[in-house]
Amino acid sequence: MRMKLPLIPLRALVGVVLLTAFVCGEANAGEWLSLGDKVFLSDQILEYEIVFDQAIPDHWPNKSYDRRGYAFPDSLLRKALASASLVSTLANFEQPKEPPRLPERIWVFSVGSPCWWKAHEKGRLRTLGFYRKSNSGKPAGFFGVEHETGMFTDLNPAYPELLEAITQARSWTEERMRAVAPEMLWEGQREILRESKNPYLLALAVRFLEDHDAREAVDRAWGKAGTPEREAHEKLADDPHSRKGICLP
């Protein structure tokens, strides 16, 4: 007698495949990488665009995201990824031998992500790719589970502020060798902490100062750690989209 197996929704199967890919795939794929990790530890940051020019197939059971339904059509996904084109370069390898170009393997969301459906509604998607130089010298994707939130795409309502913050942060340089009084160092970052309303820029300024042994500058601008003053400032730097799925209906 043949045993009758229970039906498994395609979305559940996709989740199993995705988990396997994360475990067996690139390093850090299953971790949460902070904005500071991605911005300051990446060797290359690219912005690219993919286009959706086909409707959901008539035979596809669901025409929008349904967590109990089918994942985004694979044929449309492959075609969209194949359309990827470079839009801008926010950071590049030091002394590159040639102009940047998109890696052969592009990672955006998992196949079961609701973000694909949101992007399809728009007809196109702009997204950031973070890369580190591999042992072979080629760029390798530097991403974690935070990419699933859609934060690093133009599905994020604050995407322009994110681009501005990353571009500015990657221009910051070491100042500890300057022959000036300590309180005259890091004036650009200090001003950001005092004046900026951009949560990404605030978070990156704090991370940069901490990485350069300048926690004192943060204490002076925001108050000592644990004080109500400091907590109020830290709340301003807490992006509301960073850990939330902005793609869910």
Side-chain angles (χ1 to χ4, degrees):
M1 180 177 178
R2 180 183 298 177
M3 181 181 296
K4 187 174 182 181
L5 298 175
L7 294 175
I8 302 177
L10 179 59
R11 173 165 290 283
L13 182 60
V14 165
V16 173
V17 173
L18 173 62
L19 178 60
T20 303
F22 271 165
V23 171
C24 301
E26 300 182 30
N28 298 314
E31 302 174 11
W32 177 278
L33 300 176
S34 70
L35 175 63
D37 289 338
K38 296 170 80 73
V39 172
F40 295 124
L41 300 182
S42 293
D43 296 308
Q44 186 183 65
I45 305 175
L46 305 177
E47 181 189 24
Y48 50 92
E49 183 177 77
I50 60 178
V51 177
F52 300 85
D53 58 3
Q54 292 182 335
I56 303 298
D58 292 337
H59 68 271
W60 211 254
N62 44 295
K63 306 302 179 186
S64 60
Y65 174 72
D66 181 354
R67 66 182 180 84
R68 295 170 298 180
Y70 277 44
F72 190 75
D74 184 59
S75 60
L76 270 62
L77 181 55
R78 289 196 305 269
K79 193 171 187 300
L81 291 175
S83 75
S85 60
L86 185 64
V87 175
S88 64
T89 303
L90 282 72
N92 201 12
F93 297 114
E94 293 183 3
Q95 299 178 338
K97 295 181 180 179
E98 56 185 27
R101 57 184 178 181
L102 290 179
E104 293 179 3
R105 298 177 67 189
I106 294 176
W107 299 88
V108 186
F109 312 119
S110 68
V111 291
S113 171
C115 292
W116 286 121
W117 298 91
K118 284 282 187 181
H120 182 264
E121 289 176 12
K122 289 183 58 176
R124 60 187 62 242
L125 176 78
R126 287 199 173 186
T127 182
L128 296 176
F130 298 82
Y131 303 95
R132 303 188 74 178
K133 187 177 294 185
S134 65
N135 292 335
S136 66
K138 295 182 178 180
F142 184 53
F143 68 101
V145 296
E146 76 287 337
H147 242 70
E148 287 294 285
T149 68
M151 169 186 169
F152 295 97
T153 73
D154 64 355
L155 298 176
N156 179 355
Y159 186 64
E161 288 83 356
L162 177 62
L163 293 180
E164 175 193 355
I166 294 175
T167 301
Q168 189 167 339
R170 287 297 300 227
S171 71
W172 296 338
T173 57
E174 174 64 79
E175 292 193 8
R176 285 173 291 186
M177 300 303 292
R178 289 177 57 201
V180 297
E183 61 270 17
M184 297 180 65
L185 297 175
W186 319 116
E187 185 51 40
Q189 289 77 22
R190 293 173 191 265
E191 182 178 359
I192 287 170
L193 294 182
R194 293 192 302 266
E195 305 293 341
S196 180
K197 304 300 183 185
N198 183 330
Y200 305 113
L201 195 55
L202 290 171
L204 290 174
V206 171
R207 170 64 178 268
F208 184 84
L209 291 169
E210 290 177 343
D211 286 350
H212 290 77
D213 302 321
R215 292 177 183 268
E216 166 274 335
V218 184
D219 292 343
R220 282 178 176 270
W222 283 6
K224 295 287 186 180
T227 62
E229 179 188 6
R230 178 65 167 266
E231 292 175 356
H233 282 289
E234 289 175 341
K235 189 174 182 180
L236 295 176
D238 184 18
D239 172 42
H241 308 295
S242 62
R243 290 179 181 260
K244 296 180 180 179
I246 61 178
C247 301
L248 293 173

